[in-house]
């Protein structure tokens, strides 16, 4: 018997991958002070419509339960968390909530797009601030780093800034027209320019062309300053987020005014995270959506959050060869003789404390056997008596077969440096 279209089972390998992302997420969210919850999988249709109106019915699974109530399966975790915070009037603010679970969407299935998939999600409710925006971006970036994805960039835009520039270009602030142009911008990364110009020809080729040029603007904050409205409150917010990211040591964020995301939902900063060569589009996205708590009766609080697609992250990890607990960042610490075994064990503990998957032989095996075991690791850190006397250890890249010396002092100052050696 076949499964309904777009549905699938998760096999052992999928489960292991989901668990890997889940545990990295739980660790990171807890480090950042988020409280973990799981919203109900079934919501009332009213709650599901709060985010983007009745049109959402086309994109979700909804039905009547046996009591005749109109309900639907959750399509994200944001709706349920926002419903919760709105209902608990006495919750101290800002409230930081995290969640992880399966979500259901009536999307057209294709690579990296499913009808049942997992998301991780973080939300910060309270007074709007650039620090909250930057915090969810920082967490997104650090989480993807902790999964050892390479070439991660966070592309950031500001809906207010883009909308005001678009209405200037088309000479109208009519929300329906501005929204049409945002749709054109959203398509710009997926469709050829000519096709979009034809689709929106009623707005005139010059105007649509200028809007598409805006969508193509990508780079450091200073590079886009001249093309939008520096000095406006929206610009100050965008600049504030970049200043906070710099302060937090997040160096992989760039402006991309082509990032639009949900059409009628975000009110400020929006962002998406990508990994080099992943072949699956955005791994995560988020931003500020101050009007959603209001739809649940809490117009007095703002919200910013981020959600990531777990299966897409797994595909990206696989594409980069970074998947599995025996992934490329794992270090085998090898001791050349029994008298340096204790040093090797203590180096292993230090690496583990720094969050690096590291292993060392416990059985007192000879060097040759240890090197055989190390063959499945990306790196072998070899502790030999001669090198140790000089204050060094050897670092061997197992795939490339290359070897170099690392001073112990450097290793203890910054254990993670071994991964980029
Ligand atoms: P969203 O909740 O639409 O903002 O999406 C957040 C993240 O979930 C995206 O960046 C994707 O990584 C992932 N995602 C969204 N839709 C799907 C889907 N149909 N299948 C798999 N992953 C998805």
């Amino acid at each position: 018997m076949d499964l309904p279209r777009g549905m699938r089972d998760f096999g052992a390998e999928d489960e292991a991958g989901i668990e890997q992302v889940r545990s990295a997420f739980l660790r990171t969210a807890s480090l950042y002070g988020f409280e973990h919850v799981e919203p109900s999988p079934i919501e009332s249709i009213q709650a599901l419509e709060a985010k983007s109106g009745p049109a959402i019915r086309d994109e979700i699974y909804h039905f009547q339960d046996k009591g005749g109530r109109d309900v639907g399966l959750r399509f994200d975790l944001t709706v349920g968390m926002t419903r919760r915070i709105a209902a608990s009037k006495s919750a101290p603010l800002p409230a930081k909530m995290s969640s992880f679970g399966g979500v259901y969407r009536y999307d057209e299935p294709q690579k990296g797009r499913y009808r049942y998939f997992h998301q991780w999600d973080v939300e910060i409710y309270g007074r709007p601030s650039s620090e909250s925006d930057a915090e969810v971006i920082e967490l997104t970036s650090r989480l993807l780093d902790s999964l050892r994805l390479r070439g991660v960039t966070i592309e950031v835009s500001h809906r207010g800034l883009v909308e005001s520039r678009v209405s200037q270009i088309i000479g109208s602030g009519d929300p329906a027209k501005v929204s049409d142009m945002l749709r054109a911008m959203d398509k710009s990364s997926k469709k050829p320019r000519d096709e979009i110009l034809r689709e929106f020809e009623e707005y005139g080729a010059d105007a649509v062309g200028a809007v598409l040029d805006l969508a193509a603007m990508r780079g450091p904050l200073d590079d886009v300053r001249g093309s939008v409205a520096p000095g406006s409150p929206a610009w100050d917010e965008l600049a504030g987020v970049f200043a906070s990211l710099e302060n937090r040591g997040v160096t992989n964020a760039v402006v991309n005014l082509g990032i639009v995301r949900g059409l009628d939902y975000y009110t400020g900063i929006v962002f998406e995270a990508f990994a080099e060569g992943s072949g699956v589009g955005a791994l995560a996205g988020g931003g500020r959506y101050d009007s959603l708590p209001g739809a649940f009766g809490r117009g007095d609080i703002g919200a910013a959050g981020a959600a990531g697609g777990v299966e897409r992250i797994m595909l990206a990890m696989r594409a980069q060869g970074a998947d599995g607990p025996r992934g490329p960042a794992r270090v085998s610490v090898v001791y050349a003789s029994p008298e340096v075994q204790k040093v090797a064990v203590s180096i292993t503990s230090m690496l583990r404390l720094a969050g690096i998957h590291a292993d060392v032989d416990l059985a007192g095996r000879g060097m040759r056997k240890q090197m055989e075991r190390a063959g499945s690791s990306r790196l072998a850190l070899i502790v030999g008596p001669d090198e140790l006397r000089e204050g060094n250890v050897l670092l061997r890249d197992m795939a490339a077969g290359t070897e170099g010396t690392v001073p112990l002092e450097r290793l203890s100052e910054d254990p993670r440096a071994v991964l980029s050696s």
Side-chain angles (χ1 to χ4, degrees), residues 105 107 112-114 117 119 261 266 282-285 307-309 312:
R105 293 188 189 179
D107 260 333
R113 187 171 292 285
Y114 313 108
F117 62 100
Q119 282 193 332
R261 308 210 9 94
Y266 287 94
L283 304 186
R312 284 203 195 176

Side-chain angles (χ1 to χ4, degrees), residues 185-201:
M185 290 177 80
D186 198 29
K187 288 177 184 208
S188 66
S189 57
K190 300 156 206 147
K191 277 189 175 178
R193 191 179 171 97
D194 287 355
E195 215 172 292
I196 305 174
L197 284 171
R198 265 200 307 281
E199 189 176 339
F200 295 93
E201 65 189 350

